[in-house]
Amino acid sequence: MAISRRAFVTAAATLVASTGTSLALTAPAAAAEAAPFAEGPPYRIPVSPDDTADELVSKASQVRPTARQIAWQRLERTAFLHFGVNTFTGLEWGTGDEDPDVFQPAGLDTDQWARALRDGGFKLAILTVKHHDGFVLYPSRYTGHTVASSSWQGGQGDVLRSFADSMRRHGLKVGVYISPADENQYLHGVYANGSARSERTIPTPVPGDDRSDGPTFTLPATDYGAHMLDQLYEVLTEYGTIDEVWFDGAQGRIPPDKVETYDWDSWYTLIRTLAPDATIAVSGPDVRWVGNEGGFARENEWSVVPVQEKANGRMDFALSYDAPDMGGRDALVAARPVADHLQWWPAEADVSIRDGWFYHADQQPKSVQQLTDIYFGSVGRNAVLLLNVPPDKDGLLPASDVTRLREFRERIDRELPEDLALGARVTTSPGTVTVDLGAAREVDRVRLAEDIRYGQQVEDFVVEAERGGAWTRVAGAGTIGASRILLLSAPVRARRWRVRVTRSRQAATIGEFGLYRSRL
């Protein structure tokens, strides 16, 4: 019997907590596996300040991810590409009054980007279609601050078109970042102009519009909210399938008395209608920010967390975004006075390969060891890694970064080579899954996953090896979630291995139990 991310679930045990610490075996996961996943189970459950601690834990155990969240979690490694006028001005945060003609990527080669990311092991890439400066990397009908106002390619350039085509051609999914903040639209009196929300027809008609007839929407928005809706409409209807829409919550460097309350509910509605399978992150209902820009998740990262709804439907943290515990028992209780719901809201860990988010010639990429540590601190802790790799002024990923991406993938391939548990014999008993390798093998990496279609349940577990006729603890941790990778301090040689869940909220279905010997 093969043990792998896909196959192990058919042999795994479904573990049910009794009195919160001991476990009793119920039905094999194979029975549940036979039923197709449906969107039915709730990904968000209401909570009340009157809920007891036990009621909160019980509700958390019932939260399930949506199909799009499961698909997103399986990506593991995603990429960010910060590119725009900042690339040429040397700024990290533009001003909105840049001369568009500064944008001159004479050697733009998005196929080079795609090859480098594919060879680095990435599955999805997100382009900064618009950063806070408001400069747009496609010829939008709704602003003059775009590539069409540059002499680059005679005003006919379209970075987004080239990017999307290249990513798909090389097997990567396509993501877009459209900054809610817009310094250029502030200078033009649209952003943060104090306009009230009113019903707007999207797309807004423009003279000489050559688009074929498409769907129209009537949605509440401010002047600027309608501007964002128009740009979202362009991107989501003219550039093929978009797999992720990435927002942050920045307001821009505008006077403190000038605030734009974003029309999140209308933006979400438009995205869900035009791109129903697209993940909306990180100011969005599908994915949350991990809380730092170093690429590291918490030691125990929960995907089920307390949330509160803010203005215009924005999903926000009930606890501080950088709280050391986001979803454990104590966190559920601490959030009780302000939380509206418990929600499946998994973590994305973002970091740049260089010190800055945009390209700067005096910066160098992180070392392979740094990137490896980040991988184990993100993917290895139930998060998805979002690594920024900024193109340079020529429109290319720097040769040093391309080399580093390839070295990074090769290093992870050596850290986690062939799974020794493939083809091994698996047995289950109450609270335990045991793997017999058939012969003693050295192991120094253990990879575990819950089948998250049934929620995130494990609160504590141990990994043990049978040595000298006795079971010996070799590793352990708290949460598992969609991915937990444990690095043993030294190789352990044993034939029989087991994972034993010692505390679980509800039925804990182990979906993967991989054993590896690194080749370093």
Side-chain angles (χ1 to χ4, degrees):
M1 178 179 296
I3 304 176
S4 67
R5 179 174 293 273
R6 292 186 175 87
F8 180 67
V9 69
T10 61
T14 298
L15 310 170
V16 178
S18 174
T19 70
T21 54
S22 62
L23 298 169
L25 183 67
T26 58
E33 174 75 357
F37 176 82
E39 289 276 348
Y43 91 108
R44 181 188 301 165
I45 292 179
V47 292
S48 162
D50 297 327
D51 286 337
T52 67
D54 287 344
E55 287 171 335
L56 290 171
V57 172
S58 176
K59 287 184 176 182
S61 73
Q62 299 171 53
V63 177
R64 302 290 185 267
T66 64
R68 76 172 64 86
Q69 288 174 315
I70 292 174
W72 174 85
Q73 193 87 47
R74 288 174 177 160
L75 295 173
E76 293 192 354
R77 277 176 271 185
T78 60
F80 223 158
L81 294 137
H82 276 64
F83 190 51
V85 289
N86 290 352
T87 306
F88 299 88
T89 63
L91 299 178
E92 282 288 302
W93 194 312
T95 56
D97 57 358
E98 299 88 357
D99 180 353
D101 207 43
V102 72
F103 186 79
Q104 295 288 339
L108 181 74
D109 185 351
T110 54
D111 279 329
Q112 185 247 12
W113 303 0
R115 287 192 300 269
L117 295 174
R118 178 201 61 196
D119 294 346
F122 292 84
K123 305 293 180 57
L124 175 147
I126 301 169
L127 176 67
T128 53
V129 174
K130 183 185 75 166
H131 203 253
H132 309 325
D133 48 73
F135 185 80
V136 180
L137 295 182
Y138 71 94
S140 174
R141 300 165 181 81
Y142 298 98
T143 176
H145 204 49
T146 80
V147 290
S149 297
S150 168
S151 62
W152 173 66
Q153 293 192 355
Q156 301 301 307
D158 189 336
V159 179
L160 176 57
R161 176 80 61 199
S162 180
F163 164 80
D165 290 348
S166 292
M167 294 303 138
R168 297 189 190 106
R169 189 157 46 240
H170 291 85
L172 280 81
K173 294 181 178 294
V174 175
V176 294
Y177 164 43
I178 303 175
S179 170
D182 194 316
E183 302 277 1
N184 181 264
Q185 289 301 304
Y186 175 71
L187 296 175
H188 283 81
V190 178
Y191 183 88
N193 67 3
S195 60
R197 291 211 330 159
S198 61
E199 295 297 308
R200 313 291 179 117
T201 299
I202 305 298
T204 302
V206 295
D209 196 337
D210 59 353
R211 283 177 289 192
S212 58
D213 291 339
T216 60
F217 299 84
T218 301
L219 295 165
T222 64
D223 291 347
Y224 177 71
H227 175 81
M228 277 286 289
L229 286 166
D230 283 328
Q231 291 191 322
L232 283 166
Y233 187 97
E234 289 178 315
V235 170
L236 297 177
T237 59
E238 298 178 45
Y239 289 88
T241 300
I242 301 299
D243 302 290
E244 182 166 333
V245 179
W246 200 96
F247 295 125
D248 56 20
Q251 274 285 323
R253 295 179 302 183
I254 60 177
D257 61 328
K258 299 287 187 178
V259 175
E260 174 71 36
T261 301
Y262 297 135
D263 294 309
W264 298 110
D265 48 1
S266 295
W267 300 353
Y268 297 162
T269 296
L270 189 74
I271 296 166
R272 285 287 190 251
T273 305
L274 295 177
D277 295 328
T279 301
I280 307 177
V282 292
S283 285
D286 297 321
V287 174
R288 65 179 165 88
W289 181 38
V290 77
N292 65 73
E293 293 185 343
F296 288 91
R298 296 162 182 80
E299 176 62 33
N300 291 303
E301 193 69 71
W302 285 95
S303 294
V304 180
V305 299
V307 300
Q308 56 180 328
E309 190 169 305
K310 294 292 185 65
N312 297 339
R314 179 186 179 180
M315 197 52 55
D316 207 350
F317 300 95
L319 299 172
S320 174
Y321 67 86
D322 58 354
D325 177 10
M326 192 59 74
R329 290 175 181 248
D330 291 343
L332 299 181
V333 172
R336 184 167 48 189
V338 297
D340 301 319
H341 296 84
L342 298 179
Q343 178 172 312
W344 192 276
W345 210 26
E348 178 185 78
D350 61 328
V351 64
S352 185
I353 197 170
R354 293 169 172 243
D355 291 340
W357 290 94
F358 286 89
Y359 172 79
H360 304 281
D362 60 345
Q363 296 178 358
Q364 296 300 315
K366 290 178 169 58
S367 69
V368 173
Q369 186 59 57
Q370 287 175 302
L371 294 174
T372 302
D373 292 343
I374 288 169
Y375 174 86
F376 286 123
S378 56
V379 177
R381 294 179 182 172
N382 189 37
V384 168
L385 171 61
L386 177 61
L387 180 67
N388 178 64
V389 189
D392 64 17
K393 292 183 179 181
D394 290 327
L396 299 170
L397 297 187
S400 58
D401 298 40
V402 172
T403 298
R404 194 55 40 83
L405 291 175
R406 176 178 48 78
E407 292 172 339
F408 175 41
R409 177 190 56 78
E410 291 171 348
R411 172 64 179 271
I412 298 304
D413 288 347
R414 292 195 301 272
E415 292 275 1
L416 298 168
E418 181 184 1
D419 183 357
L420 301 176
L422 286 172
R425 186 165 62 91
V426 181
T427 58
T428 61
S429 60
T432 304
V433 178
T434 303
V435 173
D436 187 336
L437 299 179
R441 304 290 297 274
E442 282 193 342
V443 170
D444 60 0
R445 305 284 187 264
V446 178
R447 182 160 191 168
L448 296 162
E450 293 179 66
D451 186 341
I452 59 173
R453 294 176 303 169
Y454 310 108
Q456 185 180 1
Q457 309 295 347
V458 176
E459 296 177 292
D460 285 293
F461 70 93
V462 295
V463 176
E464 299 168 318
E466 188 179 47
R467 306 175 74 187
W471 287 101
T472 303
R473 183 185 188 277
V474 297
T479 58
I480 295 179
S483 178
R484 168 68 85 161
I485 305 173
L486 302 174
L487 309 182
L488 307 188
S489 58
V492 174
R493 187 175 182 83
R495 171 177 170 170
R496 300 180 71 223
W497 294 76
R498 71 184 185 187
V499 57
R500 189 161 53 86
V501 178
T502 55
R503 191 178 196 189
S504 183
R505 291 177 170 179
Q506 200 188 63
T509 306
I510 302 299
E512 181 180 4
F513 184 12
L515 303 170
Y516 302 84
R517 177 64 168 97
S518 62
R519 296 172 181 168
L520 302 180

